[in-house]
Amino acid sequence: MIKVMSFNIRVGLADDGENHWDRRKSLALERIHAFGPDLMGLQECLDTEQAEFVRTRLPDYHFFGVHRGGPGGTALEMAPLLFRRSAFRLLDTGCFWLSETPEIPGSMSWQSNYPRTVSWARLSCRLTGSVLTYVNTHFDYEPTAIEGDARVLRQWLDQIRQDTALIVTGDFNADKDSNAYRLLTGDGTLIDALRQVLPHGPNGEDEATFHAYGLQEEMAAIDWILVSGHFRVLAAQIDRSRQGNLFPSDHYPITAVLDWKA
């Protein structure tokens, strides 16, 4: 079994009042420990004390993230991936940017608000010897950029998918009736793990992960775990835990339990 989590932890410099990172970081860590992922993709992880907190509190995990670049304090923001060292052996790792020049650090296209990255790791499962490529990303929220981000990611996945199983996590800033979702899942190359086990309505309300600290009118199903046909989805859910008005983040973490197909 492989336990996967995707979790936008909300950038630590955000002025979130009672839900500031300093107040909720222990609760965020608690939710990670409660699930115990083998693979985890974070979004909005700032490479300051926020990332240091994650690294030091999760010593059993390999942490790989690259600064997205661009102007201002958010240049240090990352979409890092983590994997449990006891579960996987690292074969290769890398990063590219979601732009028309993905090899250029900090590059942007399609009126994107910020540079956006894709972090990836090629891993060998210690138990089975099977190889997979784990991918984590955070799309821009500018509508003109979201589809471009999806096309660049899909093109890269198409180049490698004949040689490897795939697990993709991220905050895609798009709902599940978007072109971005169709680009990644429409032909069945990638399967939405949550939809394999969770009954869903036509608009995906019950799949919402973004909630803006409990605002019902803001809820949206923008965090996804996508997997290739190499895997069976044994379980998947959205962790809606909170402590009163204190939330782990403005996104709920999403989780999946996978098994290799015979």
Side-chain angles (χ1 to χ4, degrees):
M1 290 194 310
I2 301 173
K3 300 173 74 175
V4 184
M5 172 181 274
S6 186
F7 192 7
N8 183 321
I9 60 173
R10 176 67 166 166
V11 64
L13 54 74
D15 183 11
D16 286 335
E18 64 178 343
N19 277 291
H20 187 274
W21 170 251
D22 287 340
R23 296 199 63 201
R24 60 183 174 79
K25 62 184 180 182
S26 295
L27 183 55
L29 183 70
E30 175 190 296
R31 300 324 305 158
I32 294 170
H33 282 309
F35 180 67
D38 301 305
L39 299 171
M40 180 169 64
L42 300 180
Q43 300 87 34
E44 295 196 29
C45 184
L46 201 65
D47 197 11
T48 56
E49 75 85 25
Q50 187 175 33
E52 186 61 22
F53 177 84
V54 173
R55 290 187 185 99
T56 57
R57 298 307 196 281
L58 297 172
D60 297 334
Y61 291 82
H62 180 98
F63 180 109
F64 173 72
V66 175
H67 300 164
R68 71 183 185 187
T74 60
L76 298 180
E77 193 175 307
M78 303 178 289
L81 61 83
L82 294 86
F83 66 85
R84 193 186 295 276
R85 293 188 184 94
S86 61
F88 295 101
R89 183 168 61 90
L90 180 62
L91 303 178
D92 196 10
T93 192
C95 178
F96 61 90
W97 276 258
L98 292 169
S99 75
E100 293 173 326
T101 52
E103 71 285 355
I104 298 178
S107 57
M108 296 188 293
S109 301
W110 318 295
Q111 301 175 22
S112 178
N113 288 281
Y114 298 101
R116 300 290 182 170
T117 61
V118 174
S119 303
W120 61 269
R122 191 171 175 90
L123 304 170
S124 173
C125 181
R126 292 189 186 275
L127 187 63
T128 66
S130 301
V131 173
L132 64 87
T133 300
Y134 177 44
V135 179
N136 183 54
T137 191
H138 186 184
F139 282 11
D140 201 72
Y141 53 81
E142 176 62 42
T144 57
I146 293 171
E147 187 170 332
D149 290 353
R151 289 190 185 280
V152 171
L153 176 57
R154 177 59 197 258
Q155 288 166 5
W156 185 84
L157 294 171
D158 282 345
Q159 291 173 9
I160 68 167
R161 65 187 177 92
Q162 300 302 325
D163 303 318
T164 180
L166 294 170
I167 298 174
V168 181
T169 56
D171 171 357
F172 295 89
N173 272 315
D175 59 30
K176 294 185 178 181
D177 63 359
S178 64
N179 284 336
Y181 184 80
R182 284 188 287 273
L183 276 167
L184 294 172
T185 67
D187 64 351
T189 296
L190 292 175
I191 299 161
D192 183 337
L194 190 66
R195 287 198 162 179
Q196 300 307 296
V197 298
L198 181 73
H200 56 278
N203 298 315
E205 293 94 341
D206 45 1
E207 301 173 87
T209 50
F210 177 71
H211 56 84
Y213 298 118
L215 298 180
Q216 185 68 31
E217 65 274 16
E218 297 291 338
M219 294 183 71
I222 62 177
D223 301 276
W224 315 331
I225 297 175
L226 309 177
V227 304
S228 63
H230 301 79
F231 300 102
R232 289 185 296 119
V233 180
L234 304 182
Q237 66 177 6
I238 298 165
D239 179 356
R240 297 188 176 92
S241 301
R242 57 193 278 192
Q243 291 179 354
N245 291 324
L246 183 67
F247 292 83
S249 176
D250 62 344
H251 290 239
Y252 295 125
I254 183 171
T255 64
V257 180
L258 312 176
D259 196 9
W260 292 94
K261 288 182 178 177

